[in-house]
Amino acid sequence: MVVSRGGLPARKEVLNRLENALKTFPPLLERTLVSCDSEEEVSLGKRKVSEFRVMQWNILADALSSSSPTENFIKCPAVALEWSNRKLRSLQEILTFDPDVIALQEVDHFEDYYLPSLKELGYHGLFVPKRNSPCLKFDHNSGPDGCALFYDTERFSLINHTDVALKDLDGNLSSQVALIANLFDKVQGRMLCCGVAHFKAKESFRDLRLKQGNDLLKCITESLGDDKTVILCGDFNAEPSEPVCQLMEKNQFVCLKNSHVSAKGENPEFTTWKFRPADLEVKHTIDYIWHSPNLRVTGYVKIPDSDSMPENRLPCLQYPSDHLSLVFDFCWG
């Protein structure tokens, strides 16, 4: 049985209002949903009752984009970085895909924007702030950024959740955080353990990412219910060949599968693409949704082809973050 998945009627109404408020901007980057069974494009508004949709997205913290735009995003028009515009565009991106679970990183407007906006539309949200958030060093910041997890209360109910403060190589608390939530799927009568994490950037922190990935998997294992079903979302700041990504698939705790590979047999060419100072072009695949083997990927939203990306890359007038959202449909296999 296939059902319309427009969410609550209010979601479509809000999406229409957002599109009207942003009518002076070009449309969002065009992306399509592909069925894994047929490899054909399918409607975003339809999926089977047994399926649930997960979105993973580093939304780009306001303080990091608006406080030093010439330092961070040298080719992005200033108007595209203004929070008054980016907040609308980010909600537009979320509602376009109508996910059941939303995992976000670099959230520094949780209480004043994302929580009230999404709560009105049938989502409940959880948030864990970074201990030493880089956002705090900027004047007029909105508080620390962190990881957030939202779930559609019509589909899921919260059983419990754990805030995870990840440690550094010396065993001291670091700035990296994660959040783990056990959700009950009201449609399937199954338990789903959802995690969201944001690991340290830069090549020199490979060992730290590996340690923190191992610690996070241990925490997830300790949180698992009898179903042992896991979705782990995150900006790992690690290419697929890096040890922390290999760890996800081979470890002593809970072995997970890469949704990119499950859906297409390979990782995308990029999940983030931007210009830094001195025209340094940064193009990486560092964002992931990992899943346990008893979940099957049934559909995915395509990453744009390189040729269709805006000349100034990300963020831009067509997109509010330097990372693309990842969207996958799952069912119990």
Side-chain angles (χ1 to χ4, degrees):
M1 177 182 179
V2 176
V3 296
S4 175
R5 289 293 304 174
L8 301 175
R11 294 184 192 173
K12 289 187 176 180
E13 295 171 9
V14 170
L15 186 55
N16 289 336
R17 290 203 299 268
L18 289 168
E19 290 171 353
N20 185 61
L22 293 162
K23 61 185 178 182
T24 60
F25 278 66
L28 279 170
L29 288 177
E30 185 175 353
R31 301 173 65 189
T32 56
L33 178 69
V34 177
S35 166
C36 291
D37 295 329
S38 66
E39 290 301 318
E40 296 178 350
E41 294 181 8
V42 295
S43 169
L44 284 172
K46 294 182 181 295
R47 54 188 182 266
K48 296 177 181 178
V49 174
S50 59
E51 295 173 326
F52 61 91
R53 181 167 295 169
V54 179
M55 171 183 276
Q56 147 61 32
W57 196 17
N58 180 326
I59 60 174
L60 177 58
D62 174 29
L64 301 183
S65 63
S66 61
S67 297
S68 54
T70 56
E71 175 185 339
N72 288 321
F73 306 108
I74 59 171
K75 295 194 175 184
C76 182
V79 66
L81 292 173
E82 293 175 5
W83 174 241
S84 59
N85 294 319
R86 286 188 57 243
K87 69 179 183 179
L88 301 182
R89 298 238 79 169
S90 63
L91 188 59
Q92 182 185 25
E93 172 81 351
I94 291 169
L95 295 183
T96 294
F97 298 114
D98 188 30
D100 299 295
V101 177
I102 309 164
L104 305 176
Q105 299 85 42
E106 289 198 22
V107 180
D108 60 349
H109 283 279
F110 179 78
E111 293 286 350
D112 67 317
Y113 184 68
Y114 290 104
L115 182 62
S117 297
L118 290 169
K119 185 177 181 180
E120 282 188 5
L121 300 174
Y123 291 97
H124 180 69
L126 304 167
F127 176 70
V128 55
K130 290 179 182 176
R131 181 169 169 265
N132 293 310
S133 167
C135 294
L136 298 177
K137 69 181 181 180
F138 296 106
D139 294 335
H140 311 297
N141 67 77
S142 300
D145 74 304
C147 294
L149 184 74
F150 292 89
Y151 60 89
D152 186 328
T153 57
E154 190 175 295
R155 179 65 186 255
F156 291 101
S157 59
L158 178 67
I159 303 303
N160 55 52
H161 75 278
T162 303
D163 296 346
V164 181
L166 296 168
K167 295 181 179 180
D168 63 21
L169 293 174
D170 296 321
N172 301 312
L173 289 178
S174 72
S175 292
Q176 284 67 60
V177 295
L179 193 155
I180 303 169
N182 281 307
L183 304 178
F184 178 72
D185 185 340
K186 299 176 185 179
V187 173
Q188 294 297 305
R190 305 283 295 267
M191 289 290 297
L192 179 68
C193 181
C194 290
V196 53
H198 190 186
F199 292 155
K200 184 74 172 176
K202 297 185 179 178
E203 174 68 19
S204 58
F205 291 102
R206 286 167 63 98
D207 290 344
L208 176 60
R209 289 191 287 272
L210 179 60
K211 178 189 183 301
Q212 292 182 339
N214 194 72
D215 292 346
L216 179 57
L217 289 173
K218 182 180 179 181
C219 291
I220 289 173
T221 303
E222 293 170 350
S223 300
L224 274 177
D226 294 336
D227 262 325
K228 301 189 184 304
T229 304
V230 178
I231 292 284
L232 175 57
C233 304
D235 174 359
F236 275 43
N237 276 305
E239 294 276 6
S241 60
E242 190 170 311
V244 68
C245 293
Q246 309 305 309
L247 175 73
M248 295 295 115
E249 299 179 337
K250 296 180 181 179
N251 62 82
Q252 60 178 315
F253 303 114
V254 52
C255 293
L256 304 175
K257 300 176 72 174
N258 181 341
S259 294
H260 294 306
V261 177
S262 296
K264 294 187 61 182
E266 62 183 2
N267 285 287
E269 185 180 356
F270 62 93
T271 61
T272 180
W273 193 357
K274 55 205 166 193
F275 280 105
R276 292 298 201 192
D279 279 350
L280 175 64
E281 200 164 356
V282 179
K283 184 181 183 183
H284 296 303
T285 295
I286 56 176
D287 303 278
Y288 304 91
I289 297 179
W290 304 90
H291 67 94
S292 52
N294 62 334
L295 286 175
R296 184 169 68 91
V297 179
T298 58
Y300 64 96
V301 171
K302 292 177 64 175
I303 298 293
D305 296 330
S306 292
D307 292 342
S308 66
M309 287 291 288
E311 183 179 354
N312 292 337
R313 310 314 183 204
L314 304 173
C316 58
L317 291 171
Q318 296 97 316
Y319 206 75
S321 175
D322 54 332
H323 292 248
L324 291 167
S325 68
L326 308 181
V327 181
F328 288 90
D329 287 345
F330 295 92
C331 70
W332 269 270

